[in-house]
Amino acid sequence: ETVLGGQKDRARDGKLVTNWVINELFGRLKKEAKDISASPVSAAQLAAICTVAVLVFILWRSEIAFAHKAAALLTGALIATPYVLDYDLMVMAPAIGFVAAHGLKHGFIDYEKSVLAFCWIAPLISRTLAEIIFVPVGLIVIILLFGIVLRRGAIDRAALPPSLSRV
């Protein structure tokens, strides 16, 4: 029953994302009399948005620490935006603060301090570095922070008693 309950929750999470795509995206395209090929959202971006939305929703409904839920929401919002510029990376500061505060209280996992330090310094160097190496450093940093939050959430969730791990 626990396994089926988890599957029902995941199916509901997928339905929410599907409803968003159908209602918002397709509704806008229909209103503007355009087909899917004229969508302002690329297939890769839509896949990233849907994946991040489902992951944040699953984390938010789980019993992990609020700090990780908040950090996932903040970094997920940045991943979902079409453009990530260096000044947008300031949204990572509260996410870094949530993860760092939790780490100071409960201990850090491998490489967490290094990732947090890199994410903290990234807004200062991302534009210059991107101009030199032609790689969107800001997006990579955000995905890296989101990955650390997901990893920490998975570790915390695995440590919960079975009665508390709903998702």
Side-chain angles (χ1 to χ4, degrees):
E1 184 173 325
T2 307
V3 173
L4 291 176
Q7 295 303 321
K8 287 179 185 176
D9 285 345
R10 287 194 178 117
R12 185 172 41 243
D13 300 344
K15 277 185 176 181
L16 290 172
V17 173
T18 303
N19 287 339
W20 173 81
V21 171
I22 290 171
N23 294 329
E24 298 296 324
L25 179 62
F26 290 144
R28 179 177 171 191
L29 290 173
K30 184 176 180 178
K31 182 179 177 183
E32 296 174 1
K34 295 180 179 177
D35 66 355
I36 191 68
S37 63
S39 172
V41 180
S42 71
Q45 185 179 1
L46 184 60
I49 291 169
C50 292
T51 302
V52 167
V54 168
L55 290 172
V56 168
F57 188 80
I58 289 170
L59 279 177
W60 202 267
R61 288 182 41 97
S62 70
E63 297 294 331
I64 65 169
F66 175 79
H68 295 117
K69 293 177 182 182
L73 182 62
L74 289 164
T75 54
L78 286 174
I79 292 171
T81 61
Y83 307 103
V84 179
L85 302 173
D86 52 352
Y87 50 80
D88 296 327
L89 297 178
M90 293 300 115
V91 175
M92 285 192 319
I96 293 167
F98 279 122
V99 175
H102 187 272
L104 288 171
K105 186 174 182 181
H106 300 285
F108 290 96
I109 57 176
D110 293 340
Y111 303 106
E112 195 171 31
K113 290 180 192 176
S114 300
V115 169
L116 292 175
F118 179 62
C119 291
W120 184 256
I121 197 81
L124 300 174
I125 63 170
S126 65
R127 181 178 293 195
T128 305
L129 195 57
E131 288 174 353
I132 294 170
I133 63 173
F134 303 107
V135 175
V137 178
L139 180 61
I140 293 168
V141 169
I142 294 165
I143 292 170
L144 187 62
L145 182 57
F146 191 70
I148 286 289
V149 172
L150 290 177
R151 182 175 168 213
R152 176 60 99 149
I155 291 169
D156 288 357
R157 191 169 157 254
L160 290 173
S163 63
L164 288 179
S165 56
R166 295 187 310 195
V167 181

